[in-house]
């Protein structure tokens, strides 16, 4: 890893104060355990550790460089911070390894991190020419270049349309297939130039940077983000203690939709229609703490433009269930 400077100066955690406020009832008790399932450079985790001196934070990230930078940032908290190299849909295993049945707080800050956007050699940023990598864990898996150079036109169209919500998906996919027959794609500048040619100028003037949606779609495909997220939200609810709170900060409508669906399901009684009373085993097991999705205030978006598309949802576990056997009240920390 190269010396890229401390994480504190490079990362502004989105909606940090509001998230800490909403997690307070779950984390203010002595011995609370919080899982930052998308640690990044540790900004949210630092806020938790500062505000709740009796709380231990477990930080999960698939990016080894992020773990190293966050570890430096949070070293002053000693063993109250525990880094884990994993993907966030492994949260059940991470919690089991702690020797606990459940935890008190969980945060997911989804999407691409400030670290990944700021490092040109990672290939996430379309404004800088770089190798088309986009892997959050650079030790494994296919790259964005692999996707562009090997996927059939129909598959490229699908991911651009579904993950990037790109209106010109078919046109872009056809152009990529033509261009790769001349020379395989290796760097972002060539792809950006193709997108400038493929997308009509009228759409470029009104729809932002022409590469934004394609780069988003490639990143989601390379890292299997939506499938991982759908598994992760289920596992997170499973390992949330009664009285615990789960916060989800998303930046994409598909991510937010999955969180909304999971929270709504948990907050709705499953008692069969027509029964005169609600059966205890069918009662809701979640309570919605936020009504709908909260958005960052205007002043935060002004100072941190990356917050512009953020949507925050928080739910609280209100009862144990047989369908979620790992979720039960915990007492005190594991040492």
């Amino acid at each position: 890893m190269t010396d890229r400077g401390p994480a504190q100066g490079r990362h502004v955690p989105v909606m940090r104060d509001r998230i800490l406020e909403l997690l307070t009832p779950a984390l203010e008790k002595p011995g609370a355990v919080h899982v930052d399932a998308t640690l990044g450079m540790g900004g949210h985790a630092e806020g938790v550790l500062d505000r709740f001196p009796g709380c231990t934070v477990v930080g999960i990230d698939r990016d080894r460089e992020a773990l190293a930078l966050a570890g430096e940032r949070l070293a002053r908290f000693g063993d109250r911070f525990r880094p884990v190299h994993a993907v966030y849909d492994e949260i059940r295993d991470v919690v089991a390894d702690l020797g606990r049945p459940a935890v008190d707080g969980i945060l997911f800050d989804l999407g691409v991190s400030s670290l990944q956007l700021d490092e040109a050699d990672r290939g996430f940023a379309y404004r800088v020419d770089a190798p088309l990598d986009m892997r959050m864990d650079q030790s494994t898996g296919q790259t964005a270049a692999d996707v562009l150079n090997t996927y059939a036109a129909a598959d490229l169209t699908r991911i651009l349309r579904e993950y990037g919500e790109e209106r010109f998906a078919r046109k872009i996919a056809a152009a990529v297939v033509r261009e790769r027959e001349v020379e395989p794609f290796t760097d972002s500048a060539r792809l950006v130039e193709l997108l400038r040619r493929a997308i009509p100028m009228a759409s470029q003037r009104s729809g932002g940077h022409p590469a934004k949606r394609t780069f988003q779609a490639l990143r989601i495909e390379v890292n299997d983000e939506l499938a991982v997220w759908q598994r992760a939200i289920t596992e997170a609810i499973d390992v949330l203690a009664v009285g615990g709170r789960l916060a989800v900060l998303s930046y994409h409508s598909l991510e937010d939709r999955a969180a909304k669906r999971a929270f709504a399901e948990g907050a709705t009684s499953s008692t069969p229609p027509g029964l005169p009373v609600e059966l205890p085993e069918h009662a809701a097991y979640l309570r919605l703490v936020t009504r709908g999705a909260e958005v960052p205030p205007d002043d935060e978006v002004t100072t941190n433009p990356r917050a512009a598309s953020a949507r925050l949802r928080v739910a609280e576990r209100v009862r144990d269930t047989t369908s979620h056997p790992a979720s039960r009240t915990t007492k005190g920390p594991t040492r």
Side-chain angles (χ1 to χ4, degrees):
M1 182 182 73
T2 57
D3 183 7
R4 306 183 191 275
Q8 289 93 326
R10 305 171 55 201
H11 175 229
V12 180
V14 173
M15 299 183 75
R16 183 191 63 183
D17 292 344
R18 180 57 174 155
I19 289 169
L20 294 177
E21 177 186 354
L22 292 170
L23 291 179
T24 293
L27 300 184
E28 62 184 352
K29 62 185 179 183
V33 174
H34 172 67
V35 176
D36 190 323
T38 48
L39 179 65
M41 287 190 283
H44 288 110
E46 183 177 48
V48 169
L49 290 162
D50 272 329
R51 181 170 296 196
F52 308 111
C55 181
T56 296
V57 171
V58 178
I60 299 173
D61 209 292
R62 66 169 75 179
D63 188 325
R64 294 182 186 276
E65 186 171 355
L67 285 169
L69 285 168
E72 294 170 5
R73 180 177 193 165
L74 304 175
R76 62 190 174 94
F77 297 104
D79 62 5
R80 290 180 56 215
F81 170 65
R82 305 179 188 182
V84 178
H85 179 243
V87 183
Y88 51 70
D89 67 341
E90 300 173 289
I91 187 170
R92 191 200 309 274
D93 292 338
V94 171
V95 172
D97 287 345
L98 298 174
R100 301 179 62 90
V103 295
D104 305 287
I106 301 172
L107 169 65
F108 291 94
D109 182 2
L110 302 172
V112 63
S113 74
S114 297
L115 168 66
Q116 292 151 353
L117 283 172
D118 291 341
E119 302 306 336
D121 59 2
R122 305 297 293 274
F124 289 95
Y126 44 77
R127 299 184 187 275
V128 180
D129 189 21
L132 282 165
D133 192 320
M134 298 195 193
R135 292 173 298 170
M136 293 181 181
D137 181 349
Q138 290 186 297
S139 68
T140 185
Q142 66 181 351
T143 67
D146 294 330
V147 172
L148 289 168
N149 293 324
T150 64
Y151 276 33
D155 290 327
L156 288 172
T157 299
R158 174 184 55 79
I159 67 169
L160 292 173
R161 184 175 290 145
E162 291 182 7
Y163 301 161
E165 299 176 301
E166 174 57 72
R167 291 170 54 200
F168 304 100
R170 187 183 300 275
K171 185 176 181 181
I172 292 168
V176 167
V177 171
R178 286 196 305 270
E179 286 291 319
R180 77 190 188 192
E181 291 176 356
V182 178
E183 183 181 356
F185 284 90
T186 58
D187 59 79
S188 58
R190 182 169 167 232
L191 176 59
V192 171
E193 181 56 33
L194 178 149
L195 294 167
R196 290 189 187 280
R197 296 195 307 268
I199 297 175
M201 284 303 302
S203 294
Q204 294 188 38
R205 285 191 292 269
S206 61
H209 197 287
K212 178 180 179 180
R213 289 172 294 278
T214 293
F215 272 60
Q216 174 180 281
L218 288 171
R219 187 201 81 220
I220 291 173
E221 175 68 12
V222 165
N223 297 288
D224 197 23
E225 289 179 37
L226 290 177
V228 170
W229 171 228
Q230 288 167 353
R231 293 191 297 269
I233 186 70
T234 299
E235 289 208 0
I237 293 171
D238 283 354
V239 298
L240 190 64
V242 173
R245 291 192 171 188
L246 167 59
V248 177
L249 193 59
S250 59
Y251 304 83
H252 185 283
S253 61
L254 296 176
E255 295 168 338
D256 181 56
R257 199 174 303 152
K260 178 181 179 180
R261 187 183 305 116
F263 282 3
E265 180 181 343
T268 303
S269 171
S270 60
T271 297
L275 288 184
V277 296
E278 180 177 68
L279 302 175
E281 64 270 25
H282 290 283
Y285 52 85
L286 294 179
R287 179 179 70 85
L288 303 182
V289 177
T290 54
R291 295 300 175 184
E294 294 191 6
V295 299
D298 292 341
D299 58 348
E300 179 173 357
V301 174
T302 300
T303 58
N304 183 15
R306 290 177 183 170
S309 60
R311 299 292 181 270
L312 174 65
R313 296 181 187 271
V314 179
E316 179 179 319
R317 187 82 193 215
V318 293
R319 74 171 181 90
D320 194 5
T321 68
T322 55
S323 59
H324 298 81
S327 303
R328 44 187 178 266
T329 305
T330 58
K331 298 179 180 180
T334 298
R335 296 296 182 190

